[in-house]
Amino acid sequence: YFSDPTKNAFSLFAKANIDIHEKLSGYVYLKGRFVSYQTAVLTSDRDPIDVDANFDFFNPKVGFTYAINNDNNLYASFAVANREPNRNDFENGVSTPETLFDYEFGWRLKSENVKLNTNIYYMDYDIQLVVTGAIDDVGQPIRATSGSSYRLGVEIDAEITLTDQLYL
């Protein structure tokens, strides 16, 4: 087993926060990620793998926050994320990157004694790299592309500060 892989990654990032109105603000994040991966190796079954792959990703995120009052705000965001296959994926014949479109909407409460964040999210995958449940001959999990899939859910986190003046 001999291998001399080369992986180079380069990223560019820009961020802007914008006050649109007294109660409305927004942000834009722009990220470019450029990855090259090259290797020529034999698997443990002595099968050759010759990889020369380049991935150019654009991962933007845009969001808005609306201040209802000093204690409450609403927010919404949209983001794109991409991820390249790893070496094990290439060994198992997967060379397609993963692409995710993330939509979120939430409400934040921040008072003297309570911090509450609620969030509804929808994660829409164009292609998703998923663990199949199988393992390869050296015990590594095998991933495959699922095609189109999604995740939909709610996240809630809360922090309550108890003081000697707060009785439950």
Side-chain angles (χ1 to χ4, degrees), residues 48-129:
I49 298 174
D50 188 16
V51 177
D52 186 2
N54 294 297
F55 302 98
D56 298 331
F57 299 129
F58 177 56
N59 298 325
K61 183 174 183 180
V62 62
F64 297 94
T65 300
Y66 179 76
I68 299 170
N69 56 38
N70 288 337
D71 294 342
N72 292 279
N73 68 49
L74 299 173
Y75 64 91
S77 68
F78 169 73
V80 178
N82 293 279
R83 181 171 55 170
E84 72 275 6
N86 62 32
R87 178 196 162 125
N88 290 341
D89 296 329
F90 284 115
E91 286 181 7
N92 292 304
V94 176
S95 60
T96 306
E98 176 178 89
T99 301
L100 163 67
F101 302 95
D102 181 51
Y103 306 84
E104 298 189 19
F105 178 75
W107 166 60
R108 288 188 192 103
L109 166 69
K110 184 178 179 183
S111 67
E112 185 178 331
N113 296 333
V114 176
K115 293 180 185 175
L116 177 67
N117 186 37
T118 62
N119 182 29
I120 298 169
Y121 63 88
Y122 177 70
M123 300 167 65
D124 182 19
Y125 289 89
D126 182 30
I127 293 175
Q128 184 178 14
L129 297 170

Side-chain angles (χ1 to χ4, degrees), residues 4-42:
D4 189 18
T6 302
K7 180 177 179 181
N8 293 306
F10 176 75
S11 295
L12 294 171
F13 180 79
K15 173 182 172 182
N17 293 315
I18 306 154
D19 289 329
I20 300 167
H21 185 268
E22 180 181 314
K23 293 184 173 251
L24 183 63
S25 63
Y27 64 87
V28 176
Y29 299 162
L30 303 174
K31 182 178 182 182
R33 185 159 180 266
F34 310 94
V35 179
S36 69
Y37 183 76
Q38 297 159 342
T39 190
V41 66
L42 295 176

Side-chain angles (χ1 to χ4, degrees), residues 153-166:
V154 174
E155 297 173 319
I156 300 172
D157 62 83
E159 180 181 317
I160 300 172
T161 304
L162 300 176
T163 66
D164 57 348
Q165 298 174 359
L166 181 64

